[in-house]
Amino acid sequence: MIIGTAKESYPADEALLTTAPQRVWMTIFVIALIAAPFVLSNYWLYLACLAMINVISATGLNVLTGYTGQVSLGQAAFMAVGAYTVAYLERSLGTPFLLNILAGGVIAAAIGLVVGLPSLRVKGLYLAIATIAASFILHFVFVNWTAVTNGNSGATLAPATVFGIELATYDRLYWLIMPFAVLLVWGAANLFRTRIGRAFIAIRDRDISAEVLGIPLLRYKLMSFAIASFYAGIAGGLWAYLFRVVTPESFPFLTSIFLLAAIIVGGMGTILGGILGAVFMTLTPELLRVVVDLASVFVPDAATLLSPVRTIVFGALIVGFLILEPRGLTEIVDRIRRFFRLWPFRT
Amino acid sequence: MSEWLFFLEVTLAGLGSGALLALTALAYVLIYKATRVVNLAVGEMLMLGAYLFFAFAAGWGLSAWIAIPLAIIGGGLVGGIVERGLIRPMLGESAISVFMVTVGLGSVIVGLVELVWGTDPRALPAFIDTSPLFLGEAYVSRKIAVAFVTAAIVIGLFLILFRFWRGGVALRATATDQAAAYSCGINVPGVYSAAWVIGGATAAGAGLLLGAIGGISPVMGVFGLSALVVVIVGGLDSVLGALIGGLALGMIQSWTSTYVGGEYTNVVTFGIMIFALMLRPYGLFGTHEIERL
Amino acid sequence: MSKGPARLDVQGVTLTFGGVRALNDASFTAEAGSITAVIGPNGAGKTSVFNCITGFYRPTAGRIVLDGEDITKVRPPARAARGLARSFQNIALFHGMTVLDNIKLGRHAYMKTNLLQAFFYAGPAKREEEALRREVEERIIDFLEIDHIRNKSVSVLSYGLQKRVELARALAMQPRVLLLDEPVAGMNREETEDMARFILDVKEEWGTTIVMVEHDMGLVMDISDHVTVLNFGEVIASGTPKTVQNDPRVAEAYLGSGDPQALVKRIEREMAS
Ligand SMILES: Nc1ncnc2c1ncn2[C@@H]1O[C@H](COP(=O)(O)OP(=O)(O)OP(=O)(O)O)[C@@H](O)[C@H]1O
Ligand SMILES: [Mg+2]
């Protein structure tokens, strides 16, 4: 029997986690999140930090693409906006890091609103194309607005500090990045318990009838786009504190494709999908590196192959999942779960 | 006086690259008209065409006059394979999903080219005479002139075929109403394949002309984005829009890079597109589709 | 809670698509709290009238008046907020959502949760959602007898059930005027009878004005208070079910008069669309 379907009250039914197994898994996951910095090696902590940054950005993109049905190929550029905002504030004003990161998100969202404006006139793919245009224009700005970005030489910044403690090592940065990731993912999940999330999905499924049902299309499309850009900005700001140097090449177009691949691989339109996909995609290049290292025994200059192979794999994952498993890893996880029939929580 | 001459030369060079933009834009339009797919990988297919020519001419040492048709046929094959392998399985999926497939495809092509030929820019074996050409007093690079004439001939051919050839009529019928085309006995899947094959071949042809002028590199696919701007401004389903838009953008880019600075061309190009999107979302010559409830 | 039934006036509405005149000076009134049926042969312009009323199409001429207020220039979402709700001829449910979420969506325009409250699911957001859930469960789901499917995805439902969920969603919009486009099309006898009962109950219990497009003459004659007949975009008859039924022009519109001129006109129309 599947347990947890008999609800005592509607509020319980409206909770985020409705079944006992879900709650147990969540508890295990939270314990793992807290224990991670104490058990992981430095290298794995670095990967964990990077993965969580990607989770934030991918979750934002998932709200826009997976839930609202609008494609953005500018998510990387908005991450760059967040990163540069943080770098600039840290370097020139020395404001507190929390404020800087928040400012990164807000400015990215504001620019997102401007870029999203064409979607008021047109629908579907035009937003995707406008975001490509925005990526190139922003790149130009990063290179040429040297007063703020320091141009091609890039902006270096000091580590974030709390009460005089520098967050410069991965185990400390973890405590900066992890709470952001948890908060933002939780917030995204919450959106879809309310009218706002329902409006997004309605726009994705059939935008013309959504309007007759009382949903102002423009407002909600722009809102969704601003949310995606905000998440990208925060992720970029955290990225700046992780790497402490931002250049125009820090967030190439390939990163936008990487993030699109993340939500497609993970599963569009599910919160879990954004998380699974981002983690999977963060680990993929590492796995490729291992493979290339092994290959270097046989192939003389295997290391130079890493970058092209990565480009191929990102693209192939997008194509492969869209054609073969459009619902992504989430669907695969679901299938495994159904197979085990909620093992080991059977009643 | 010489300033005017210079301006004329800059404009002529712009018309030359504009013809290539128009040709590339045509690949978008063909594919979009028949299959309603915005193929973001057109730029990458163009680049692959240029590399195919490079492989045949420089790698195998074939004469350019054999390598050119081979590269174009190769481009057509790639288009056909993509249609059968990636696009047809997505039939009935949302336009967004199919679009994302082409995004992934572009990434795969770039990676493959980098894997096989490396990331360094290369020059194509010369197959166009380099001696300068004068139009009155104005100097024109012969390569650009050849590119212009070739592109103009191909586009003219397409315009004629669209109107009068049976296949062109089938394509237009399919574009207007798929179901009706089916019931009139038009081989709709055939039209789909044909559009992709011709689109792929066109892109490859544009690629080797572009490569002959400026050399080849794995990032030359960005040219496809300029052509995308052309089709957005001209209308995704308008051959005429591709033609006029291509020439116009070519000149604008040429003026910008000469008089303002090369680094501004992208900004101006994409700036134009954002404005166009706001002012005339369906393009200057595109059709506005009516929706029904 | 809804502010009671409203009166709807369609005044001289004309709508053209290129050369096709889908509506030509069409007028009718739906009295507050009544059931008005709009009937007519295929392509007569019935769905077009609905689209003009909800604002999806902008009429070339004429006015739409809701309870004395001219809403011809009001945008569709704002019309929904004024109490205009509809169901669609080609069901327009959202396939990515459960039945419950589809119904809740109907309430959108009346809710106040903003982005920040939604993000934290705190305070008003939580209260509003829980209140909505309770009301949807108790007033709509029970009423329409769809408890068993509330957590199903709409894409797995039968046609009849989908129509019922559309009605549920329209009810969640707290309609003052409820527009139903072919509510029983494609249903079997039993489903049709259920739906007829629901429509009458909505009129009685919810006190809603109902305008209904329907081809099922049995249903139309049984439950409507007033019938308007459209043909080629023009209102050719209006009145009680009885009078309309006996109007020769109506029979002619449906069966054809044997007049070749009318037939040619009809075929031309179909070709043009
Ligand atoms: N968006 C549109 N573009 C062009 N013509 C349209 C459009 N919508 C409706 N029409 C035309 O307007 C006329 C009326 O159509 P409408 O859908 O209102 O008919 P209807 O009475 O609802 O028919 P049915 O009983 O078949 O549903 C038809 O000739 C139709 O083809
Ligand atoms: Mg109709």
Side-chain angles (χ1 to χ4, degrees):
Chain A
M1 272 310 295
I2 294 173
I3 52 174
T5 44
K7 306 286 161 17
E8 292 80 49
S9 64
Y10 302 135
D13 207 12
E14 295 283 308
L16 267 182
L17 306 170
T18 46
T19 63
Q22 276 176 353
R23 279 191 281 270
V24 173
W25 281 116
M26 184 50 93
T27 314
I28 295 172
F29 181 67
V30 168
I31 292 172
L33 268 187
I34 293 172
F38 303 104
V39 295
L40 290 183
S41 73
N42 213 31
Y43 175 68
W44 281 99
L45 269 179
Y46 156 75
L47 279 183
C49 290
L50 195 60
M52 288 186 297
I53 288 173
N54 287 334
V55 165
I56 295 173
S57 196
T59 299
L61 185 63
N62 207 359
V63 170
L64 179 68
T65 305
Y67 283 103
T68 320
Q70 314 284 307
V71 181
S72 165
L73 286 168
Q75 193 74 349
F78 291 109
M79 285 180 77
V81 169
Y84 272 118
T85 307
V86 163
Y88 178 76
L89 291 176
E90 184 70 49
R91 280 153 59 95
S92 337
L93 305 178
T95 36
F97 69 90
L98 275 180
L99 187 78
N100 299 347
I101 293 172
L102 218 58
V106 169
I107 291 184
I111 296 179
L113 281 180
V114 175
V115 175
L117 273 178
S119 64
L120 102 185
R121 302 287 300 271
V122 286
K123 49 195 288 187
L125 295 172
Y126 287 83
L127 184 68
I129 293 162
T131 55
I132 297 176
S135 303
F136 280 90
I137 293 175
L138 285 172
H139 184 266
F140 172 83
V141 172
F142 300 146
V143 172
N144 290 289
W145 197 12
T146 44
V148 170
T149 65
N150 204 22
N152 275 321
S153 26
T156 48
L157 62 150
T161 51
V162 201
F163 307 122
I165 306 170
E166 288 197 336
L167 304 181
T169 53
Y170 295 133
D171 57 340
R172 288 183 188 163
L173 280 162
Y174 183 92
W175 293 109
L176 170 64
I177 297 170
M178 189 269 280
F180 267 105
V182 169
L183 178 72
L184 288 170
V185 169
W186 175 75
N190 277 342
L191 286 184
F192 295 95
R193 306 160 77 184
T194 69
R195 70 167 190 153
I196 292 178
R198 286 194 295 268
F200 288 163
I201 299 175
I203 290 173
R204 175 193 69 192
D205 284 359
R206 316 169 150 256
D207 56 356
I208 45 177
S209 28
E211 189 159 35
V212 176
L213 292 169
I215 296 166
L217 290 187
L218 171 64
R219 183 178 323 153
Y220 279 90
K221 280 185 184 173
L222 283 183
M223 193 191 287
S224 179
F225 197 48
I227 292 171
S229 311
F230 179 81
Y231 274 55
I234 300 273
L238 293 168
W239 193 97
Y241 280 122
L242 182 63
F243 289 95
R244 302 233 310 277
V245 57
V246 187
T247 74
E249 307 315 318
S250 295
F251 300 94
F253 192 61
L254 188 64
T255 305
S256 289
I257 295 183
F258 169 93
L259 290 164
L260 193 61
I263 59 167
I264 291 171
V265 167
M268 285 186 287
T270 61
I271 293 295
L272 183 63
I275 301 172
L276 286 180
V279 172
F280 180 89
M281 290 301 291
T282 310
L283 296 181
T284 301
E286 301 307 313
L287 192 70
L288 290 177
R289 185 166 295 159
V290 174
V291 173
V292 165
D293 277 351
L294 290 180
S296 64
V297 181
F298 312 102
V299 189
D301 49 355
T304 60
L305 301 183
L306 185 59
S307 154
V309 168
R310 205 173 48 191
T311 311
I312 297 175
V313 168
F314 289 175
L317 282 170
I318 292 182
V319 175
F321 268 90
L322 278 174
I323 295 181
L324 302 174
E325 185 53 273
R327 299 205 290 185
L329 290 175
T330 316
E331 173 66 15
I332 297 176
V333 168
D334 262 7
R335 223 175 281 151
I336 296 171
R337 213 191 52 200
R338 279 198 295 274
F339 177 75
F340 283 109
R341 290 244 130 217
L342 300 189
W343 177 91
F345 305 104
R346 217 185 308 231
T347 44
Chain B
M1 189 63 215
S2 77
E3 247 168 58
W4 276 109
L5 189 62
F6 182 60
F7 176 77
L8 188 64
E9 286 173 354
V10 171
T11 308
L12 286 173
L15 280 178
S17 68
L20 286 183
L21 279 173
L23 196 58
T24 314
L26 198 62
Y28 281 104
V29 172
L30 266 172
I31 290 173
Y32 181 80
K33 251 176 135 52
T35 58
R36 299 282 137 176
V37 174
V38 177
N39 174 17
L40 200 72
V42 161
E44 281 70 31
M45 289 165 73
L46 167 149
M47 171 198 62
L48 184 60
Y51 271 92
L52 285 178
F53 173 76
F54 178 78
F56 295 136
W60 297 5
L62 296 179
S63 130
W65 305 114
I66 301 175
I68 290 174
L70 280 184
I72 291 176
I73 292 171
L77 268 181
V78 170
I81 293 169
V82 167
E83 196 276 329
R84 289 308 289 266
L86 306 183
I87 303 302
R88 197 159 309 169
M90 299 293 291
L91 212 70
E93 300 284 331
S94 73
I96 302 272
S97 297
V98 187
F99 174 77
M100 291 191 291
V101 166
T102 69
V103 172
L105 169 69
S107 185
V108 170
I109 296 180
V110 169
L112 281 176
V113 167
E114 286 182 358
L115 198 62
V116 177
W117 289 286
T119 51
D120 296 331
R122 292 165 192 264
L124 286 187
F127 60 94
I128 302 170
D129 193 3
T130 45
S131 62
L133 198 74
F134 285 92
L135 252 163
E137 276 181 82
Y139 161 80
V140 191
S141 148
R142 188 177 293 263
K143 285 177 177 173
I144 291 182
V146 169
F148 180 83
V149 172
T150 318
I153 292 176
V154 172
I155 294 170
L157 225 66
F158 272 125
L159 279 173
I160 294 169
L161 285 184
F162 264 146
R163 295 265 162 243
F164 303 112
W165 176 53
R166 258 189 43 232
V169 175
L171 187 116
R172 279 195 294 152
T174 309
T176 326
D177 189 338
Q178 216 187 81
Y182 248 121
S183 57
C184 294
I186 289 171
N187 175 3
V188 173
V191 171
Y192 280 16
S193 289
W196 277 80
V197 168
I198 302 173
T202 310
L208 61 92
L209 285 172
L210 185 69
I213 296 171
I216 57 173
S217 80
V219 295
M220 73 191 276
V222 177
F223 187 79
L225 292 181
S226 285
L228 184 60
V229 174
V230 168
V231 285
I232 294 298
V233 175
L236 264 168
D237 54 357
S238 161
V239 177
L240 188 69
L243 181 63
I244 297 175
L247 292 178
L249 187 63
M251 288 191 293
I252 291 172
Q253 285 186 336
S254 182
W255 294 331
T256 312
S257 76
T258 310
Y259 295 107
V260 189
E263 68 270 29
Y264 287 91
T265 32
N266 268 342
V267 182
V268 170
T269 306
F270 290 111
I272 289 175
M273 180 169 84
I274 292 200
F275 265 109
L277 279 180
M278 309 277 266
L279 298 178
R280 252 198 92 88
Y282 295 90
L284 296 172
F285 306 95
T287 38
H288 180 153
E289 281 168 39
I290 306 170
E291 284 165 313
R292 290 192 185 205
L293 265 180
Chain C
M1 286 297 90
S2 57
K3 287 154 279 176
R7 171 191 158 109
L8 177 75
D9 294 280
V10 173
Q11 299 177 347
V13 167
T14 299
L15 176 72
T16 51
F17 297 105
V20 184
R21 191 161 268 223
L23 290 172
N24 190 9
D25 196 21
S27 304
F28 65 88
T29 295
E31 296 294 346
S34 72
I35 297 182
T36 303
V38 178
I39 63 170
N42 290 108
K46 306 177 297 291
T47 299
S48 299
V49 168
F50 273 21
N51 283 336
C52 289
I53 296 173
T54 52
F56 184 67
Y57 291 152
R58 175 108 358 131
T60 329
R63 305 196 310 154
I64 308 291
V65 181
L66 184 69
D67 246 2
E69 183 198 2
D70 183 350
I71 57 167
T72 319
K73 296 215 159 55
V74 176
R75 305 257 324 131
R79 293 192 198 197
R82 280 174 173 71
L84 273 178
R86 75 175 283 183
S87 73
F88 298 84
Q89 181 174 358
N90 313 306
I91 300 172
L93 291 171
F94 300 99
H95 287 266
M97 288 190 241
T98 61
V99 168
L100 198 54
D101 277 338
N102 264 284
I103 300 172
K104 282 180 183 171
L105 188 90
R107 185 57 59 84
H108 184 92
Y110 293 93
M111 298 178 79
K112 298 198 169 51
T113 302
N114 66 29
L115 186 55
L116 210 61
Q117 294 159 347
F119 184 90
F120 292 103
Y121 197 64
K126 188 166 189 292
R127 277 200 301 279
E128 210 174 46
E129 284 301 323
E130 283 173 5
L132 173 61
R133 174 68 193 267
R134 185 162 299 118
E135 193 197 322
V136 165
E137 289 282 354
E138 287 163 9
R139 283 201 69 202
I140 300 175
I141 293 198
D142 286 354
F143 170 62
L144 293 176
E145 299 160 17
I146 46 179
D147 330 37
H148 56 297
I149 53 165
R150 63 156 79 74
N151 286 319
K152 287 220 169 95
S153 158
V154 291
S155 48
V156 302
L157 300 181
S158 72
Y159 191 78
L161 278 177
Q162 292 199 14
K163 285 254 164 197
R164 211 184 283 184
V165 175
E166 271 219 321
L167 175 60
R169 183 177 65 190
L171 287 179
M173 292 174 79
Q174 299 187 316
R176 302 175 63 211
V177 176
L178 178 61
L179 305 158
L180 302 173
D181 200 344
E182 307 201 4
V184 304
M187 289 189 180
N188 61 31
R189 200 65 247 161
E190 192 188 335
E191 287 172 322
T192 303
E193 277 163 13
D194 281 343
M195 185 56 87
R197 180 163 51 85
F198 292 137
I199 294 173
L200 283 172
D201 285 351
V202 168
K203 179 184 142 182
E204 299 300 326
E205 289 179 27
W206 293 61
T208 303
T209 310
I210 294 173
V211 185
M212 158 178 95
V213 164
E214 192 41 70
H215 284 293
D216 184 326
M217 281 312 136
L219 180 74
V220 168
M221 296 306 155
D222 277 354
I223 68 172
S224 45
D225 304 307
H226 187 91
V227 179
T228 294
V229 188
L230 274 178
N231 193 25
F232 294 140
E234 286 174 25
V235 175
I236 55 165
S238 241
T240 60
K242 268 259 137 17
T243 53
V244 165
Q245 208 168 11
N246 300 326
D247 191 319
R249 282 169 304 178
V250 177
E252 180 188 311
Y254 271 92
L255 303 172
S257 55
D259 173 7
Q261 221 38 51
L263 192 65
V264 167
K265 199 172 154 200
R266 188 145 170 186
I267 288 168
E268 271 173 358
R269 236 166 211 286
E270 264 158 32
M271 298 292 284
S273 66

